[in-house]
Amino acid sequence: MPATAAVAPPPTAPEQLAARLSSGDSDESLLPTLREIKNQIIGNRTKKLLYLRLRAVPKIVALLSSSSSPSPVIVQAAAAVGSFACGVEEGVRAVLDASSVPHLTVLLSHPDAKVVDSAARSLRIIFQSKLAPKYDFLLEENKTFLLSLLNSTNENITELAASIVAHSCEKPTEQTSLCDAGVVQKLVSLLGGSSNQRDTSLDAISAIVKNNPEVATKFVSISNGKAFNSLMGLMQDRYPRTRLLACVCLISIEQAFPVYFQEMQIKTKLILILLDLIEEAGRVGDEAPFVLKGLIGESEELHRQALSVTAAERLCGYLRKGKAVLEARRLEGILLVLAELGSKLEQSRAQLIELQVPSLIIDLLKHDCAQVRVAACHVIKNISRSLKHLCAGRFGSESIVMPLVQLLCDSSTSVQTAALDAICNVAVNLTTKKSVLLQSGGVSILCQLARSMHSEVRLKSVRALRNLMFLLDRKDKDLIFTELTVSTLTILISDPDPLVQEHALALAGNFVDGSGVSTKFIFSEDISIIDAVSRQLKGECSPGMCIQGMFFLANMAAENESQKDAVMDCILPTSLDLAISPPNSFLVTFLQSKERLLRLSTLWCLINLVNPDQRNSLRVSALQGAGIISQLKTMVNDPCLDCKLRVRMVLERCLENRE
Amino acid sequence: MPVRVVETTSPSHSSGQDLSSAQPSPPSCSLLCAGRSFCGTQNVSSLQKDEAWKVNVRIQGCDIEHGFLCGTMEALNVPLADTPVVTFWEGEIVDAKNHTFFTGKWEATPEDDIRHWSKFPSFTPLLSQIEDDGGKSLDLSNYPYIFMRWKEQYFVNVGADCGLTIAGFYYVCFSCTDGSISGFYYDPNSSPFQKLELKCMNAKPGGFSFSSYELV
C-alpha cells in the first residue's frame, strides 16, 4: 500500500540554535543542538561564518571545560570545534581565541575513549593551520607529553603528535632535541601503520630532518638503513598523497645530507615520480610541481637529468592538454618548473624554445591569477637569457612583447616587477630590426615606472631602459631620452638606492655611446647630467657606480673637444677642493683601486682625453698638475695586463704630444 | 653541438662588463666586449682567382667565465648575394679551463689545430707547452693575445640555400694591445687558410666608447 513519505523537519534557524547554547545548560539536552550545528557547518563555509558571527564558538568551547558536561556532549562539542577550524581561517582564529587548544589537550587524558578520539581529531585539524600556535619542544615537560602521545595505542593520538611535530618543528635546536629524545624512531615506527599515520609521520620526519645534516645523518643510520629503505618503498605506495610525502621527505634528507645521494638513480626516480604525480587530481597534483622545483633547485646536474628523462616534454604536454582547465596553483607550479629548467643551461633553453614554450604560455600572461602571470613572466625572463636566440630575434615579436608591456600596468606589484624582469631581457635587441618595444608604448610606461615610489620598480625600469638603449641608433636614443627627461635621469643618478644609481649611470653611458650625441641632453638649462655624475664620483659611492660613472665620462671624452673639456672640468680639482685637500683628482684614488674594472674604466677615460688632437697639450699639463700622470707612471707594471696596456697607451700619447 | 652556458643568475652579472676581479683570471680584454665592432677583410682566394670580401664583425655577448662569446659577421660584396650576408657565430675562448687549443670536433684533428695556430706568430712561444694536451696547464691570463675559435651557427638575413657555406670555423687571434684580429678559416671542403683580418672600430671620432647591457 503506498504510504505518505516521512518529511524531515525543517532545519532550525542558526539564531535559535545559538540561543540555546546560551541557556546555561551543559547536560544532554544540548546534544540535539550541538549535533544540528555540527551537521549544518560541515563543509559549509557560509554557515560557519554565520555561527561565528553569532558567537557560537566560545559557548561551545565552554562546554569542553565544564565539569558538568557529560561525555556525549563533550564529544559533539569537540567535533564542532574541529569543524569550525577546518578550512576557514576565521574559524581557526575563533577557536584559538576561545582557548580551545588547552581544553582539548586536557581531554586527551579523558577516561572516555570517544572523548579522547574527538579531541585528538579536532586538535589535528587545528594544527594543520598555519595560525595554530607553535609547540615549544625545548620545554622538557612538552617533550615528555609529546612522547607520551607518540607512545599511545590510539591512532588518532599518534597522528596528532606527528601533526604537532610537522607544524611546530623549525629550529635546528628543536630538531636536534626531538631527535635526541627518540622522536624520529617513534615516527619511523608509524610508517608501518595506517595510511593517515604514514602520511602525518612523513610530514613530521621532513620537518625534523630539513636543513639539518646531523639529524639527516642519524636518520639514514636508523636500523642500519631500514628507515631510509622504508621511505624508498613509500615512493611506490598506492596512495598518491603518500608517494608525494615520501618524495618530500627524501628531498629533505637529500638536501641536508647530499653525500648519501651521490648516485643519480634515486634523484632520477624522484623526478619521474613527481612528473607522474602532476597528473593526479586534487592537492597532490597541485603541489607536485612545487616539490619537483624544490628538488631540481639550482643544480645544473639535476636540470640535465630532468631534461634527459623528457621532463620538459611532459610539462609542455600537461600545458597543451589542459592549461584552460588546470587549477591556477598547478599551472603556477608547472610554469615555475619550466622557468627553473631554463634558468641555467643553454641546452635547456634551446630545448624549451624548440618545444615552442614561449608561444604555449603567452595566453597565461593574461591569466586571472596573479601568481600564474608572475610565473609565466619568469619563464620568459629565464629563457630569454639565451644570447643565441636573442640574436635570432626569438623574443622580439609583438606576440611576446605586447602582453608583457600590458603587464607593466598590472594591478599587482609582483606582476609588474616580474614583467619588468622579462622586458629587461627582451629589450636587448641584437637584431637589425627595430625593437617592437619602441613602437608599443612600452617606452613611455618604462619612463613613468622609473619615477615610481617603489624602489624595486624604479630599479627594474632603469635596468630595462639601459638594455633597450644598448647600441640603439641615435634617433631612437634621443626619442627615449626626450620621454625620460634629463631631470629624471639626474634624479635617478642621485637615487637613494645605490643599484638604481649604478644602472642610471650605465643608462647614461649607453646614451652617450655612439656618435652624434646632442649636447642639449647633456647640458640642459640648469640641469647637467655631467654635474650629477661628477657629484656622485666625488662623493661616497660604490665601486659599481664609480665604474659606470667613469665609462660615462670615457664615452663623453670620445665625442668632441667641448665634451672633452666638460670631462676635464669634472675630473680636475676645483678651487674648493684645492682649499681643503691635496690638489689631486679623485681619479688618482680610482687608479689606485683594487677593483680592476674601476682602474680600467678610468684609464679609458684618460686615453680618450689625450687622444691626439688640437688641445691635447693643455689637457696633458692639467692632468700632470692633478697628479694623474705621476700615478700612471707607478702603474706601468700593473698586475692586470689590460690595465698595463692602457697605462702604456696613455703615457705614449702624452709623450707623443710633448714631442 | 655544444653551446656554451651564459651564467646570468647573479643580478650583478653583466654581459657587457666583467665586474669580477677574482683570481686566477681567465684571459680578458676590455676591447673584447659586447658592442665592440671590427672591420676588415676575409681573403677568399682560390686557385682560380683572387678575391676578398669586406667583413664587419660585432660582438653581441661575452661570458669570460665560461669561455664563451658570440656575435654577428657581415660579409659585403659577396658575389652570390644581392645584399650583405650576415651570420650569427658562437665563439670559444682558449683559456685552458673551458677550452684548450685542441678543437676536438668540427673535423679538426690536433694536427690541424697546431698547423693553424702556428700561422699566428704570437702562438710560437706557446707551441712546446701545448703539443701534449692542448695547453691544459697554461696560464694565459697575462698573455697579450687571446685565442679563440668562432663557429658560424646560422644565416641571419638569407636562406641556408644562398649558395654559401658555414660548415667550417675560424681559428682566431685577438691582440689585447690594439684590438686587432686575425683569423684563418678551416673547412676541409674549402680553400685552406682563408685569412680574416680585422681592426677594432671606434664609433666615435675622439676615442673608444663602451656600451653595455645586463641580463637578469
Side-chain angles (χ1 to χ4, degrees):
Chain A
M1 261 315 269
T4 316
V7 175
T12 315
E15 293 78 5
Q16 280 181 275
L17 292 171
R20 284 185 206 161
L21 288 174
S22 304
S23 65
D25 296 330
S26 60
D27 60 16
E28 296 211 7
S29 62
L30 274 180
L31 263 180
T33 304
L34 285 168
R35 272 203 198 101
E36 198 167 349
I37 291 174
K38 190 193 75 179
N39 292 342
Q40 283 187 12
I41 65 174
I42 283 181
N44 191 324
R45 182 187 163 84
T46 311
K47 281 279 166 59
K48 285 182 194 179
L49 292 174
L50 175 56
Y51 277 104
L52 290 179
R53 282 197 296 277
L54 293 170
R55 298 195 46 76
V57 168
K59 295 169 196 167
I60 295 172
V61 172
L63 294 170
L64 294 176
S65 57
S66 168
S67 53
S68 56
S69 296
S71 293
V73 167
I74 298 175
V75 168
Q76 292 300 322
V81 166
S83 196
F84 274 115
C86 186
V88 176
E89 207 172 272
E90 296 89 328
V92 177
R93 279 209 188 87
V95 306
L96 290 174
D97 290 345
S99 304
S100 58
V101 171
H103 295 315
L104 288 168
T105 306
V106 166
L107 292 174
L108 293 177
S109 315
H110 199 277
D112 187 329
K114 286 185 183 167
V115 168
V116 170
D117 273 346
S118 188
R121 275 197 291 270
S122 292
L123 278 170
R124 226 181 71 219
I125 291 171
I126 292 170
F127 274 102
Q128 277 169 5
S129 166
K130 287 188 181 63
L131 297 173
K134 297 287 179 191
Y135 199 71
D136 187 351
F137 299 113
L138 297 177
L139 283 176
E140 210 49 49
E141 62 204 54
N142 284 0
K143 214 162 35 183
T144 309
F145 179 64
L146 181 74
L147 278 165
S148 71
L149 295 180
L150 282 170
N151 283 329
S152 170
T153 52
N154 183 316
E155 197 176 294
N156 282 320
I157 290 186
T158 53
E159 281 172 37
L160 168 63
S163 298
I164 291 173
V165 172
H167 171 76
S168 306
C169 182
E170 283 175 341
K171 300 178 203 153
T173 42
E174 292 171 336
Q175 290 169 325
T176 307
S177 172
L178 288 175
C179 182
D180 291 343
V183 166
V184 177
Q185 280 88 337
K186 297 280 180 207
L187 291 170
V188 167
S189 68
L190 295 179
L191 292 178
S194 71
S195 158
N196 280 342
Q197 278 180 316
R198 274 204 301 276
D199 289 354
T200 44
S201 178
L202 284 167
D203 244 343
I205 293 171
S206 296
I208 297 182
V209 161
K210 194 171 181 176
N211 298 325
N212 193 317
E214 194 194 316
V215 172
T217 313
K218 285 183 183 164
F219 177 87
V220 302
S221 314
I222 292 174
S223 308
N224 289 321
K226 279 189 187 152
F228 184 80
N229 290 340
S230 300
L231 280 188
M232 293 290 294
L234 288 173
M235 276 208 296
Q236 317 278 12
D237 192 84
R238 60 191 174 120
Y239 293 108
R241 182 164 165 72
T242 305
R243 293 201 294 278
L244 182 67
L245 290 169
C247 288
V248 171
C249 207
L250 282 163
I251 292 167
S252 296
I253 297 169
E254 189 269 330
Q255 286 171 349
F257 191 25
V259 164
Y260 203 71
F261 280 74
Q262 271 178 351
E263 278 185 28
M264 192 49 79
Q265 217 181 348
I266 301 176
K267 292 183 229 187
T268 307
K269 215 168 172 179
L270 282 165
I271 292 171
L272 289 168
I273 289 171
L274 289 167
L275 283 169
D276 286 337
L277 285 171
I278 293 174
E279 278 194 291
E280 291 291 335
R283 276 197 67 191
V284 171
D286 292 346
E287 295 306 314
F290 290 91
V291 177
L292 177 56
K293 178 183 177 296
L295 168 63
I296 64 175
E298 298 194 353
S299 161
E300 285 186 17
E301 192 192 20
L302 284 176
H303 287 196
R304 273 191 209 99
Q305 194 59 18
L307 290 178
S308 74
V309 297
T310 69
E313 287 89 337
R314 290 187 67 178
L315 292 166
C316 291
Y318 292 139
L319 286 181
R320 276 195 193 90
K321 258 195 312 193
K323 65 180 165 170
V325 297
L326 284 174
E327 283 293 319
R329 176 89 177 145
R330 196 174 309 203
L331 269 176
E332 183 196 354
I334 291 172
L335 288 170
L336 288 176
V337 179
L338 288 171
E340 191 60 55
L341 285 174
S343 65
K344 288 180 125 26
L345 298 175
E346 181 60 23
Q347 71 179 101
S348 310
R349 292 178 203 127
Q351 191 175 6
L352 294 173
I353 291 169
E354 212 179 319
L355 290 167
Q356 311 284 332
V357 164
S359 318
L360 191 54
I361 67 163
I362 285 299
D363 49 349
L364 295 176
L365 289 171
K366 297 178 189 161
H367 197 275
D368 289 338
C369 172
Q371 279 97 324
V372 171
R373 300 198 294 279
V374 166
C377 288
H378 284 326
V379 176
I380 294 182
K381 176 194 75 165
N382 286 359
I383 299 183
S384 61
R385 289 174 181 173
S386 169
L387 281 174
K388 181 173 182 173
H389 293 96
L390 276 174
C391 284
R394 291 292 192 116
F395 307 103
S397 65
E398 269 192 28
S399 62
I400 294 181
V401 172
M402 295 307 295
L404 288 173
V405 169
Q406 281 162 11
L407 289 182
L408 294 179
C409 304
D410 199 279
S411 54
S412 155
T413 311
S414 59
V415 173
Q416 272 188 324
T417 53
L420 278 167
D421 275 343
I423 283 180
C424 184
N425 289 356
V426 307
V428 179
N429 182 13
L430 302 177
T431 70
T432 48
K433 295 185 194 152
K434 200 173 179 83
S435 169
V436 166
L437 256 181
L438 292 171
Q439 300 151 320
S440 63
V443 171
S444 298
I445 303 175
L446 286 173
C447 293
Q448 272 171 44
L449 292 174
R451 299 176 188 108
S452 167
M453 298 294 288
H454 202 284
S455 74
E456 199 185 357
V457 170
R458 272 199 318 280
L459 171 62
K460 288 173 192 261
S461 329
V462 173
R463 227 180 212 160
L465 285 167
R466 168 201 181 170
N467 284 1
L468 185 59
M469 197 72 88
F470 176 73
L471 296 184
L472 210 53
D473 67 44
R474 178 51 53 198
K475 199 170 128 222
D476 289 328
K477 282 189 186 183
D478 288 354
L479 281 171
I480 294 176
F481 221 70
T482 307
E483 186 80 50
L484 182 67
T485 74
V486 171
S487 76
T488 298
L489 185 57
T490 50
I491 291 169
L492 289 168
I493 288 171
S494 312
D495 195 277
D497 183 341
L499 276 177
V500 173
Q501 292 175 13
E502 185 179 323
H503 286 282
L505 285 164
L507 167 60
N510 282 359
F511 175 68
V512 298
D513 173 48
S515 57
V517 181
S518 170
T519 49
K520 73 175 181 181
F521 290 117
I522 311 300
F523 313 103
S524 172
E525 296 173 356
D526 297 324
I527 306 164
S528 162
I529 293 178
I530 200 168
D531 284 344
V533 175
S534 174
R535 266 196 307 276
Q536 290 300 93
L537 291 175
K538 287 175 181 171
E540 294 282 331
C541 58
S542 66
M545 269 173 49
C546 296
I547 289 164
Q548 297 302 339
M550 289 314 304
F551 274 123
F552 169 79
L553 291 180
N555 289 357
M556 288 274 297
E559 183 65 30
N560 56 35
E561 278 302 310
S562 67
Q563 291 191 23
K564 285 184 204 284
D565 287 344
V567 172
M568 289 296 289
D569 288 341
C570 172
I571 65 175
L572 291 176
T574 62
S575 50
L576 196 62
D577 296 328
L578 289 167
I580 58 172
S581 61
N584 274 348
S585 163
F586 61 86
L587 256 59
V588 173
T589 313
F590 287 1
L591 288 169
Q592 292 168 342
S593 168
K594 287 188 181 129
E595 282 285 347
R596 178 186 70 92
L597 207 53
L598 180 52
R599 300 199 303 280
L600 257 179
S601 52
T602 308
L603 286 164
W604 278 114
C605 180
L606 291 168
I607 287 169
N608 289 344
L609 284 171
V610 300
N611 199 45
D613 57 35
Q614 293 166 334
R615 291 159 57 82
N616 215 22
S617 54
L618 291 170
R619 282 195 283 272
V620 171
S621 302
L623 292 174
Q624 174 81 44
I628 291 169
I629 307 296
S630 308
Q631 172 59 35
L632 287 173
K633 287 177 182 169
T634 68
M635 294 171 69
V636 289
N637 290 313
D638 192 286
C640 163
L641 175 66
D642 205 356
C643 291
K644 192 157 66 177
L645 292 171
R646 303 315 144 213
V647 165
R648 288 181 190 174
M649 261 172 100
V650 183
L651 291 175
E652 274 162 13
R653 288 183 180 192
C654 291
L655 204 61
E656 273 168 26
N657 173 67
R658 280 216 198 109
E659 285 164 5
Chain B
M1 164 169 319
V3 176
R4 194 39 61 192
V5 168
V6 175
E7 175 55 68
T8 53
T9 51
S10 160
S12 64
H13 175 85
S14 170
S15 294
Q17 293 161 357
D18 175 10
L19 292 178
S20 73
S21 52
Q23 31 82 18
S25 318
S28 71
C29 176
S30 45
L31 288 174
L32 189 67
C33 61
R36 186 66 53 212
S37 293
F38 305 83
C39 75
T41 55
Q42 177 167 342
N43 175 313
V44 294
S45 299
S46 61
L47 287 172
Q48 285 80 34
K49 60 176 175 170
D50 272 340
E51 198 177 347
W53 297 345
K54 284 188 190 157
V55 173
N56 295 325
V57 166
R58 172 162 269 169
I59 312 282
Q60 305 281 27
C62 202
D63 179 1
I64 297 292
E65 188 57 36
H66 291 91
F68 169 84
L69 73 166
C70 64
T72 53
M73 192 180 277
E74 181 188 32
L76 298 116
N77 64 278
V78 176
L80 293 169
D82 299 327
T83 60
V85 176
V86 182
T87 54
F88 171 82
W89 54 267
E90 290 180 338
E92 299 177 343
I93 300 172
V94 176
D95 55 8
K97 183 180 90 164
N98 296 291
H99 307 287
T100 68
F101 283 97
F102 288 161
T103 307
K105 52 186 180 251
W106 304 331
E107 297 182 68
T109 63
E111 291 74 31
D112 292 321
D113 292 330
I114 290 179
R115 196 164 38 248
H116 282 79
W117 293 123
S118 298
K119 301 284 277 181
F120 302 115
S122 53
F123 176 76
T124 311
L126 306 175
L127 177 60
S128 58
Q129 294 173 76
I130 76 116
E131 277 169 327
D132 290 335
D133 61 359
K136 277 184 190 157
S137 44
L138 264 178
D139 178 5
L140 293 165
S141 58
N142 276 313
Y143 204 62
Y145 297 90
I146 295 178
F147 299 96
M148 298 174 271
R149 282 178 288 269
W150 290 0
K151 175 82 178 90
E152 289 164 293
Q153 299 293 315
Y154 56 81
F155 292 98
V156 173
N157 66 335
V158 298
D161 57 354
C162 63
L164 300 169
T165 176
I166 54 171
F169 69 96
Y170 292 87
Y171 292 88
V172 175
C173 177
F174 171 88
S175 164
C176 300
T177 306
D178 61 3
S180 61
I181 290 175
S182 53
F184 291 97
Y185 187 64
Y186 172 74
D187 175 5
N189 300 317
S190 300
S191 305
F193 303 117
Q194 293 179 36
K195 192 171 184 186
L196 179 71
E197 287 177 286
L198 305 168
K199 286 203 179 327
C200 183
M201 296 302 296
N202 291 350
K204 282 172 156 316
F208 293 87
S209 69
F210 297 82
S211 201
S212 67
Y213 64 85
E214 180 177 291
L215 298 178
V216 294

